[in-house]
Amino acid sequence: MKVGIIGAGMIGETLARRLAQLGHQVAIANSRGPETLRDLASEVGATAVTAHEEARSGEVVVITIPERAVPDLPRDLFAAVPAQVVVIDTGNYYPSRDGRISAIEDGQPESAWVAEQVGRPVVKAFNNIFFKSLLENGRAKGTPDRIALPVAGDPLEARAKVLRLVDELGFDPVDAGGIDESWRQQPGTPCYTQDFNAMQLKSALAAAVRSRVPEYRKAADDAAKAFFRTEPDR
């Protein structure tokens, strides 16, 4: 497939590298322009482009940037982009990094908020795994205790395409429902960054309690504060 990636942080770089290794045509963009990505793109086997070019690069577009940066994406980013192009959101909301986002604090699932900002349905995936595990721990289908990843979003056809992509990358895909259920894989929830197998992941998704989302978020945010002080902005 042709895959465009907006964001060159750890998850964006890792997805670009792994997808290129699998033979996909990968275009990558950031907020500072393609000239700042030439070396990385050459290293991982991708093409550096602008965000507008990336959104028109093919069948799948991956948005993998901090939540605080989502409103700064071009307002016409997906203008004239065909409806069948799938948009994946890998993002997570951390107030200590992103500032307070009232809609999310009031209970809106993070990726539902992202979908509103970009004016397109999104599928939430790759948000609950550390980049190193995503890079190194993919395994062949049928491998015992293969790590599983949840995929939540609408419409069903878009979710199905992302489920197949997860499998191709070496992880058991778990259908986590529509975008309204995506809160179950947000930071701090029972499934977050646990590298569970499929059975364990399904149990963890079911164990999440919506009324505890603020508690989950605070625990994850407190744990991540030291990291965010040193995180490079790409």
Side-chain angles (χ1 to χ4, degrees):
M1 289 190 297
K2 293 181 178 179
V3 181
I5 298 175
I6 299 177
M10 290 181 290
I11 292 294
E13 177 180 338
T14 299
L15 283 172
R17 188 182 303 274
R18 291 288 293 113
L19 290 168
Q21 289 171 348
L22 291 170
H24 297 290
Q25 297 179 50
V26 179
I28 191 166
N30 65 9
S31 61
R32 294 178 292 165
E35 64 280 356
T36 66
L37 290 173
R38 303 288 186 204
D39 291 344
L40 173 62
S42 177
E43 177 193 344
V44 304
T47 302
V49 298
T50 67
H52 277 97
E53 290 170 332
E54 184 277 338
R56 293 153 180 77
S57 292
E59 302 162 65
V60 175
V61 174
V62 183
I63 299 175
T64 178
I65 58 178
E67 304 296 74
R68 68 172 187 262
V70 171
D72 295 330
L73 290 170
R75 303 310 298 175
D76 62 345
L77 183 62
F78 291 106
V81 173
Q84 65 267 28
V85 173
V86 176
V87 180
I88 298 174
D89 171 37
T90 78
N92 294 303
Y93 170 52
Y94 286 95
S96 63
R97 176 193 64 184
D98 300 316
R100 189 180 191 278
I101 299 175
S102 295
I104 296 176
E105 294 286 351
D106 290 342
Q108 186 176 27
E110 296 168 10
S111 288
W113 177 83
V114 171
E116 284 188 358
Q117 303 306 303
V118 301
R120 295 278 295 219
V122 305
V123 177
K124 192 175 191 73
F126 306 112
N127 75 294
N128 77 316
I129 185 170
F130 284 120
F131 83 95
K132 192 172 179 63
S133 190
L134 181 61
L135 179 65
E136 299 177 352
N137 292 336
R139 298 291 183 267
K141 192 170 186 175
T143 301
D145 284 329
R146 191 187 195 206
I147 294 171
L149 297 179
V151 176
D154 305 299
L156 178 61
E157 295 79 10
R159 189 161 78 242
K161 181 172 283 191
V162 181
L163 288 164
R164 291 192 296 271
L165 193 61
V166 168
D167 190 26
E168 187 178 354
L169 285 162
F171 302 90
D172 275 347
V174 170
D175 189 331
I179 201 66
D180 287 342
E181 293 297 312
S182 62
W183 63 269
R184 295 181 182 274
Q185 64 199 71
Q186 291 179 176
T189 55
C191 79
Y192 194 67
T193 65
Q194 296 298 313
D195 283 357
F196 285 144
N197 64 31
M199 185 177 298
Q200 292 169 328
L201 176 59
K202 290 175 184 177
S203 294
L205 289 166
V209 178
R210 190 154 195 172
S211 63
R212 295 184 62 189
V213 166
E215 174 190 338
Y216 297 148
R217 178 179 300 129
K218 184 179 186 306
D221 194 52
D222 288 346
K225 284 178 180 177
F227 168 75
F228 291 138
R229 284 196 290 269
T230 60
E231 181 186 25
D233 187 5
R234 301 174 72 175

